[in-house]
Amino acid sequence: MASGKPPLNPYLAGVFLGLVLTASYAVLGAGLGASGGLARLAAALSHLAAPAHTQASAYFGAWAPHYLSYYLVFMFVGLFVGGLLSAGVAGRLRPGLERGPGCPAARRMVFVFGGGLLVGFASRLAQGCTSGQALSGGALLLTGSLIFLAALFVSGFAVARFFRSQWYA
C-alpha cells in the first residue's frame, strides 16, 4: 500500500455504503450499479462519432437523444471523482502499476485489459453488474442475487490459485 493515511475501516465503510444504498432507494426508488452509467457514456460517445448509426442501434437507440439523462451516469462519474479526491486527501495518490514480484508489466496489462473487457461484456450481457446484483439485489433479498453472490464467491475461490500463481510466478 502506498504511504499516506490508512484507508477507512472496512466495517465503517460498509455502514456508509448501506446508508447510501438506503438513500438511493428512498430518493430514487432504485438501487446502485455501475454498468448502466458506463453504457450510457458509451452511447453518448458513439453518438458524437456516428449519430445516425447510434440512434438506429437496437441497444443505444432507445436512450436517444438524452443518453446522459440517467442517475447511474452521475454515480459512475462520481465514483471516479470521489476516488480521486479521497486518494488525494489521504496522500495516497500515486500513479503506478500494481503487480506481483514475478509478474511482468506486459502480462499484468493483458490481465487488466482482458479482465476489464470480459467483465464489461458480461455485465451488459447480464443487464447489470456485480454491484447492482450484490448491493441492490442482495439488499432486497432477491433469490437470483443471492444465488449470484454464492456463485461469485465459489468461482472466485476456484480461480484464485491460478491468478495467485500468475502474480507470483
Side-chain angles (χ1 to χ4, degrees), residues 78-122:
L79 284 171
F80 285 100
V81 172
L84 186 66
L85 290 173
S86 173
V89 167
R92 291 184 278 122
L93 188 60
R94 308 255 189 297
L97 178 65
E98 292 187 20
R99 58 190 177 95
C103 183
R107 182 189 308 158
R108 177 65 174 147
M109 294 304 290
V110 167
F111 280 136
V112 166
F113 286 108
L117 288 172
L118 182 63
V119 168
F121 176 76

Side-chain angles (χ1 to χ4, degrees), residues 55-93:
Q55 289 176 353
S57 165
Y59 188 73
F60 289 151
W63 302 329
H66 305 290
Y67 300 103
L68 301 179
S69 296
Y70 191 55
Y71 77 102
L72 289 179
V73 171
F74 297 98
M75 190 198 86
F76 184 76
V77 171
L79 284 171
F80 285 100
V81 172
L84 186 66
L85 290 173
S86 173
V89 167
R92 291 184 278 122
L93 188 60

Side-chain angles (χ1 to χ4, degrees), residues 13-24:
V15 169
F16 288 147
L17 183 56
L19 292 172
V20 168
L21 181 59
T22 302
S24 177

Side-chain angles (χ1 to χ4, degrees), residues 3-68:
S3 62
K5 296 179 186 174
L8 185 64
N9 178 304
Y11 298 109
L12 184 59
V15 169
F16 288 147
L17 183 56
L19 292 172
V20 168
L21 181 59
T22 302
S24 177
Y25 276 114
V27 174
L28 301 169
L32 301 174
S35 63
L38 181 58
R40 295 289 186 119
L41 286 170
L45 291 174
S46 176
H47 180 77
L48 288 174
H53 176 73
T54 305
Q55 289 176 353
S57 165
Y59 188 73
F60 289 151
W63 302 329
H66 305 290
Y67 300 103
L68 301 179

